[in-house]
Every structure is written in structure tokens, then in C-alpha cells.
Amino acid sequence: MHSDDPELREFLSHRRGALLRSAYLMCGDAHAAEDLVQSTLIKVVLASRGRRRIDHLDAYARRTLVNTFIASRKRLWNRERPHGELPDAPDLVADADLGMAVRVALQRLAPRQRAVLVLRFFEDQSVQATADLLGVSEGTVKSQTARGLTVLRAALGDLVGSVVDEDLADMRGVIR
């Protein structure tokens, strides 16, 4: 596949929005999500210029997005945020917008847990597909899912009741 490949051009124009939505859920910030998608697409184009063929462009891009996100969270400089004053913690109970509450709760998760929940419930990937994308075992995906859902339940508390227990996938419409 070359950068002049019509399949690559079509992919870049049609899948960018989906990648951006997933990146936003992982990052929690529109600007960081844009940067993440841009970095991902650059890596996809560069890989397509290489000697190896990319058979499943969508899966390759999704995996690149997740790996780039996780790698960016491991950098020490990315962990510190200077503030003149400490920001107040958001009051989820007072927040009438469930989508905002879910996005805030997602930010409390570790990067890998957040990536697993976004892939599993927002991207509607199976346990096996998520494990393949992240390069981990299915057991790791299951344990990260369980731990992530526990944190979401605690963060959302009474705001959503048992919605998280029933099915996080139903919240996809709320998050968008």
C-alpha cells in the first residue's frame, strides 16, 4: 500500500471522525484528541509507505491510536499540570448531563483501563479483538474491564444507579 493508494485516501477521509471520538473518550480533551489522531494518522501513512503491507487498515489504525495514547501517558512530563490554584473536583451529582459525568469518570481511570473500556463498550470490540489490538491476553482485558467498571461505578455513584451494571454500551449515545 502506498500513500497514493485510493484505499488509504478513502480511509483517511472517512475514519478520522471515528478515531477522533475514541481519542476524545481516552484523552478527555478535544485538543489532545486532535493531536493523538494526527499522530496516529501520520504513523499509518508512514507505515503504508514502508515495505510491509497493512492488510487491515482500520484495525492497524485503532491499535496505533491506543498504543500512542498509552505511550503518551507514560511520559513523565505529561503527568504534571501546573495550576495557579488547585481546581475544584467536579460535583457529579450536581451535573445534570450524564454524558459529561461519564467523560469525567473515564478520566479517573488508568490509561490502559480507559482504552479497554473505550474499545470494548464504545467501539463494540470483543474481548478477543481488544486483546489483539492491545497485544495483551484476554484475561488482562477482562481484569482491566472489571477494574475500570468498578472505578466508574464508584465515580458515578448515585447519579446513574445501576446503569453501569446493566450495560455501558447503552451509554454510547449519551457520551457522544
Side-chain angles (χ1 to χ4, degrees), residues 26-137:
M26 285 186 238
C27 296
D29 177 76
H31 299 293
E34 285 279 348
D35 291 344
L36 178 59
V37 169
Q38 186 70 25
S39 296
T40 298
L41 294 178
I42 288 170
K43 290 176 182 181
V44 169
V45 169
L46 291 175
S48 72
R49 290 181 181 171
R51 295 182 187 202
R52 64 185 170 128
R53 173 162 169 70
I54 301 174
D55 292 326
H56 303 285
L57 195 55
D58 191 46
Y60 181 83
R62 194 177 299 119
R63 183 174 187 159
T64 302
L65 178 81
V66 170
N67 288 342
T68 303
F69 167 72
I70 291 172
S72 73
R73 297 300 175 195
K74 290 181 180 178
R75 293 188 189 115
L76 184 58
W77 62 266
N78 205 14
R79 292 184 188 155
E80 294 185 35
R81 302 272 190 238
H83 295 281
E85 294 180 25
L86 291 176
D88 292 335
D91 183 10
L92 295 179
V93 176
D95 189 358
D97 182 8
L98 180 58
M100 178 62 89
V102 171
R103 287 189 295 274
V104 168
L106 279 171
Q107 295 308 305
R108 294 183 181 177
L109 299 174
R112 187 169 301 270
Q113 288 174 351
R114 194 176 324 151
V116 166
L117 291 183
V118 168
L119 288 171
R120 288 278 294 123
F121 299 107
F122 184 77
E123 292 281 336
D124 204 24
Q125 297 292 315
S126 67
V127 172
Q128 181 181 5
T130 302
D132 291 344
L133 284 167
L134 294 174
V136 298
S137 71

Side-chain angles (χ1 to χ4, degrees), residues 91-96 98 101-102 105 108 150-165 171:
D91 183 10
L92 295 179
V93 176
D95 189 358
L98 180 58
V102 171
R108 294 183 181 177
T150 299
V151 172
L152 281 181
R153 284 184 201 106
L156 295 173
D158 296 331
L159 182 64
V160 293
S162 63
V163 171
V164 176
D165 290 328
M171 297 177 109

